[in-house]
Amino acid sequence: NRRQTPAQLIEELQSSERLSGEEEALMDLLQETPEQDVVYTESVVQVLSTNLDALEKAAYGQQALSLLRRFAYLDPQGIPEDWVFAFADVDQKRVRAALSLLEQHSLVQWQPKQVQVHAVTQHVVRHLQPQSDLKQLVASLIAYGGDERDAAVNATRWAAVLLHCGALYKYRACLD
């Protein structure tokens, strides 16, 4: 991972040709400053970058970063908790510790049965800590849905799969 200053990240995002409409709107929002002497965008990126750096050094930090990299490409609202436990490559105790660590650093909200990630957090994580294997993420989503012949029985799971696959579709260029 190359380290960038907040200003460099913002400049890269502004010049990126791969920004979705949502990301462009987000960048417009981040460019608005509440006061002239406060550079809001840089402070948001700096806070998130500092939290990501702290995670790298923490116990269970690597598991937390791995989860966060995956979350960054999904729909920010309602990532099913049982799916998080299913696709994690470590035992449940470590997943719980990683989720707790993410919550302690205000990078996720871990609620009963779901995890939420703010869209700004996702945006910054996608650029500072990009996911290297989105194909694996797609495969784990589909596996979470279960056998498509049982879609009626697993309707709630398949609804989540479709929601998150829709979010992933925006990043399809990363799948090639």
Side-chain angles (χ1 to χ4, degrees):
N1 295 340
R2 71 177 201 271
R3 291 286 176 212
Q4 295 177 305
T5 66
Q8 290 170 324
L9 175 63
I10 292 162
E11 184 178 317
E12 180 183 315
L13 293 174
Q14 289 172 329
S15 65
S16 176
E17 295 178 21
R18 293 182 4 179
L19 289 181
S20 69
E22 249 177 36
E23 289 174 321
E24 285 178 12
L26 181 61
M27 284 307 299
D28 290 343
L29 176 66
L30 287 174
Q31 291 305 320
E32 296 176 12
T33 55
E35 299 175 20
Q36 285 299 92
D37 60 340
V38 176
V39 182
Y40 178 70
T41 307
E42 288 188 23
S43 64
V44 168
V45 172
Q46 187 64 48
V47 166
L48 291 172
S49 180
T50 300
N51 283 339
L52 294 172
D53 288 344
L55 281 180
E56 288 180 353
K57 299 170 187 151
Y60 302 106
Q62 292 307 312
Q63 291 89 352
L65 284 170
S66 178
L67 290 175
L68 191 59
R69 283 184 203 110
R70 292 172 183 170
F71 296 164
Y73 293 89
L74 301 173
D75 186 83
Q77 300 299 315
I79 301 166
E81 180 189 59
D82 59 340
W83 178 60
V84 173
F85 285 103
F87 77 64
D89 49 1
V90 294
D91 63 55
Q92 284 198 4
K93 178 184 173 191
R94 290 178 185 264
V95 175
R96 287 186 186 286
L99 284 171
S100 292
L101 187 60
L102 289 171
E103 192 167 47
Q104 288 168 13
H105 284 85
S106 300
L107 295 166
V108 303
Q109 288 183 336
W110 182 18
Q111 301 171 343
K113 301 197 183 273
Q114 68 179 1
V115 176
Q116 295 177 323
V117 185
H118 196 281
V120 173
T121 301
Q122 287 182 309
H123 186 75
V124 172
V125 168
R126 281 193 301 271
H127 291 279
L128 292 179
Q129 297 273 333
Q131 171 69 23
S132 61
D133 192 359
L134 290 181
K135 288 180 182 179
Q136 179 60 35
L137 187 55
V138 171
S140 67
L141 266 172
I142 292 169
Y144 171 75
D147 190 337
E148 66 272 2
R149 293 172 290 191
D150 294 331
V153 174
N154 296 326
T156 304
R157 285 182 171 221
W158 277 103
V161 168
L162 293 174
L163 178 70
H164 294 295
C165 282
L168 269 165
Y169 183 74
K170 291 186 277 187
Y171 308 104
R172 64 190 174 280
C174 302
L175 294 171
D176 297 329

